[in-house]
Amino acid sequence: MKVGAALVERQATDSEIGTGLDSAWSVIRTGLRRDVGARLFDQWLKPARLGDYCPESQTLDLLVATDFSANFVSGQFGDRLRMAWRSAGVGVREVRVRRAPDACGPRLLEVAPSIQTEPVMEEAIVASNFQPRHRLDDFVVGDTNRLAWSAAQAMAGEAQPRFTPLFIHGGTGQGKTHLLHGIAAAFSAHSPKAPVLYMSAERFMMEFVNAMRANETMAFKARLRAARLLLIDDIQFIAGKGSTQEEFLHTINDLIDSGARIVVTADRAPQMLESIDARILSRLAGGLVADIRPADLDLRLAILESKRALVGDIIVPDMVIDFLARSIRSNVRELEGAFNKLVAYGQLTGRAIDLDFAQQMLADAVRANARRITVDEIQKACAAHFKIDPAEMRSKRRARAVARPRQVAMYLAKKMTPRSLPEIGRIFGGRDHSTVIHAVRTIEALRETSPDMDADVRALQRLLEG
């Protein structure tokens, strides 16, 4: 009975110690947040949890997710932690910061407010929410984006990629951000302990400036250099920002040297970026540069087919899909938005989604996507199609090999641009409007009698319409 009583007394004492440590830690956390600032506290100290306590040495373990975090917290906050615990009066003289034995390292995916989909849980290490639709498996692949998608798969794979950084460039709404989040999700699936950091270039700049103002640049640098996968969106926004560019250059240099993976996106190729340090451009171009060109008709149709497969019993006829693909050409995001609008309006109003309904609901979007084709584009397209020098479009030569392509170009200029006959004549080497009329009539007649000519004109129209 004496042994049992001693055991009960020992368990009660341990429980009391644990309760006292928990209460003290709650008070200490409040003080630390006030003293070091909310941002530093949330990043480094908030995730820490209590570990073992040794009464003999009066040493308390604080557990964090990675060895890097343990070294950083110990170096930056070790003295402050010891003083706080000693002042708490709960028998703690020393504090040892260690990696938790069962820790799954922090996934430092920082989602900007515009794309964050779920609130961060109170005890989460760092926000790490991935949008379900932003997966590599859901990315519709075509000739215009195949290289970028293949490179993204390699960057996200378990094997170390043969290149870094990966630089993806393309216009707005073509899928660059989708690939970034897809890479992050796929990489974290097989390497959950590897820190992943995503941010826009604008956010990179803002956080760096704020860190300098708050004298927290070391913490900012450490957080970036802890990443094993760094993803920066829209790098063009750091153009002209000297100090930000210098820090970005040092960051990517350190990460490349440590074997980390880097993915950067922009709206144009590296050599086309203006007011950005040549050393950064050299680093970015030294990996793999992959472009995403505007989606062609086949890819737009494939994207809409994938969307239609997800709407279940809602009927979207083929003619509506074809109308959308041919009418909404600006970017993939707008194309998907137009499809979603049709489905939503159809459900809300109870109307069948037919061609008349689509044309009515999307009239503004169709007008906005009506690309203004120029005479210069027509001349270049016709010269390339018929394999002549573009300068021949304005020359005085009358050889059939030159004159016929020139007539086709005049015909298309009349049909596809708002230019008047005299304006078209002037663009074609100062010719009279009657010459343009003759060319239009000639090509119209040939299209009725020559299948080859009709096929050539149709092919050029499809090319110019995108």
Side-chain angles (χ1 to χ4, degrees):
M1 292 297 295
K2 290 183 179 180
V3 174
L7 179 60
V8 170
E9 182 178 355
R10 173 64 181 273
Q11 289 175 338
T13 302
D14 289 345
S15 177
E16 290 171 0
I17 292 174
T19 302
L21 292 176
D22 287 336
S23 300
W25 182 224
S26 178
V27 174
I28 290 170
R29 281 162 59 97
T30 301
L32 288 171
R33 193 174 195 276
R34 180 184 62 249
D35 293 342
V36 306
R39 187 144 47 85
L40 269 181
F41 175 82
D42 289 346
Q43 180 65 44
W44 299 105
L45 296 170
K46 181 179 177 180
R49 55 187 174 87
L50 298 182
D52 293 336
Y53 171 69
C54 177
E56 287 77 12
S57 62
Q58 294 186 314
T59 299
L60 174 68
D61 286 345
L62 282 182
L63 304 180
V64 294
T66 66
D67 289 330
F68 179 88
S69 295
N71 292 333
F72 183 84
V73 171
S74 182
Q76 294 292 320
F77 309 110
D79 291 340
R80 190 185 298 270
L81 284 167
R82 278 189 291 274
M83 290 176 59
W85 277 103
R86 288 175 182 178
S87 300
V90 290
V92 176
R93 302 294 298 171
E94 293 296 331
V95 177
R96 182 172 57 180
V97 185
R98 302 174 53 204
R99 180 178 69 85
D102 59 344
C104 292
R107 290 165 54 190
L108 304 178
L109 181 71
E110 292 199 349
V111 184
S114 61
I115 58 175
Q116 191 168 350
T117 57
E118 298 178 13
V120 181
M121 300 302 292
E122 179 64 22
E123 294 302 322
I125 295 175
V126 182
S128 57
N129 301 315
F130 300 107
Q131 293 192 21
R133 65 190 181 93
H134 284 160
R135 298 190 308 160
L136 292 180
D137 290 343
D138 296 333
F139 191 81
V140 182
V141 184
D143 291 339
T144 61
N145 60 18
R146 192 177 306 279
L147 174 60
W149 178 76
S150 299
Q153 284 193 310
M155 185 58 70
E158 294 189 46
Q160 188 71 13
R162 296 181 180 179
F163 55 87
T164 197
L166 169 60
F167 187 97
I168 303 173
H169 66 92
T172 300
Q174 301 297 350
K176 301 187 300 296
T177 301
H178 186 144
L179 287 179
L180 283 184
H181 282 273
I183 292 170
F187 179 81
S188 292
H190 65 71
S191 300
K193 295 183 180 180
V196 176
L197 178 62
Y198 165 89
M199 62 172 63
S200 67
E202 186 177 20
R203 181 156 183 182
F204 178 95
M205 179 176 62
M206 291 175 60
E207 290 202 6
F208 177 60
V209 171
N210 290 337
M212 288 196 298
R213 290 174 178 170
N215 293 321
E216 298 172 358
T217 53
M218 290 303 298
F220 177 80
K221 293 172 185 286
R223 184 161 60 91
L224 263 65
R225 285 156 177 76
R228 305 318 299 155
L229 172 62
L230 174 66
L231 307 111
I232 301 291
D233 207 0
D234 290 326
I235 194 63
Q236 69 271 8
F237 288 117
I238 68 170
K241 310 297 182 182
S243 58
T244 301
Q245 291 190 36
E246 192 71 24
E247 178 56 34
F248 180 74
L249 176 64
H250 293 321
T251 297
I252 60 176
N253 281 338
D254 287 350
L255 288 175
I256 290 174
D257 291 343
S258 69
R261 310 181 190 197
I262 302 172
V263 188
V264 177
T265 72
D267 61 355
R268 69 205 80 162
Q271 61 270 23
M272 301 299 292
L273 292 171
E274 300 176 355
S275 302
I276 290 185
D277 193 311
R279 295 171 297 171
I280 294 178
L281 298 180
S282 177
R283 269 298 197 180
L284 296 180
L288 176 63
V289 178
D291 67 328
I292 301 180
R293 302 188 304 278
D296 58 18
L297 178 61
D298 289 340
L299 180 55
R300 296 197 298 271
L301 286 169
I303 290 169
L304 291 172
E305 286 292 349
S306 70
K307 296 286 290 182
R308 180 163 63 174
L310 298 175
V311 297
D313 296 334
I314 300 173
I315 299 174
V316 184
D318 289 344
M319 64 178 62
V320 173
I321 295 294
D322 186 73
F323 167 74
L324 284 172
R326 294 182 182 278
S327 302
I328 311 296
R329 302 186 298 270
S330 55
N331 61 65
V332 172
R333 187 179 299 139
E334 189 169 347
L335 179 67
E336 293 179 338
F339 179 89
N340 293 338
K341 179 179 179 179
L342 277 185
V343 172
Y345 272 65
Q347 288 181 305
L348 291 171
T349 62
R351 284 191 55 179
I353 303 175
D354 54 22
L355 184 58
D356 289 340
F357 180 68
Q359 290 173 335
Q360 175 187 343
M361 297 308 304
L362 301 176
D364 291 340
V366 171
R367 279 194 295 270
N369 274 267
R371 189 169 68 86
R372 291 186 177 275
I373 301 169
T374 66
V375 176
D376 181 63
E377 288 177 303
I378 293 172
Q379 289 178 334
K380 290 178 180 178
C382 289
H385 183 82
F386 291 106
K387 297 179 175 58
I388 65 172
D389 191 320
E392 296 287 11
M393 291 290 167
R394 297 177 295 278
S395 74
K396 301 299 181 183
R397 291 184 60 198
R398 296 186 178 182
R400 180 180 291 271
V402 173
R404 191 68 80 211
R406 188 190 297 134
Q407 288 178 325
V408 172
M410 290 182 181
Y411 169 83
L412 292 173
K414 177 65 175 66
K415 296 294 184 182
M416 303 182 74
T417 76
R419 296 281 190 174
S420 66
L421 294 175
E423 287 177 318
I424 294 173
R426 283 194 295 272
I427 296 172
F428 281 83
R431 286 174 165 80
D432 188 80
H433 74 283
S434 61
T435 304
V436 180
I437 293 175
H438 174 71
V440 172
R441 290 174 178 172
T442 299
I443 299 304
E444 285 177 343
L446 284 173
R447 290 191 67 181
E448 294 181 0
T449 59
S450 170
D452 290 341
M453 176 56 70
D454 185 61
D456 284 337
V457 172
R458 288 180 181 275
L460 284 164
Q461 286 177 323
R462 286 196 298 271
L463 175 66
L464 290 165
E465 290 174 348

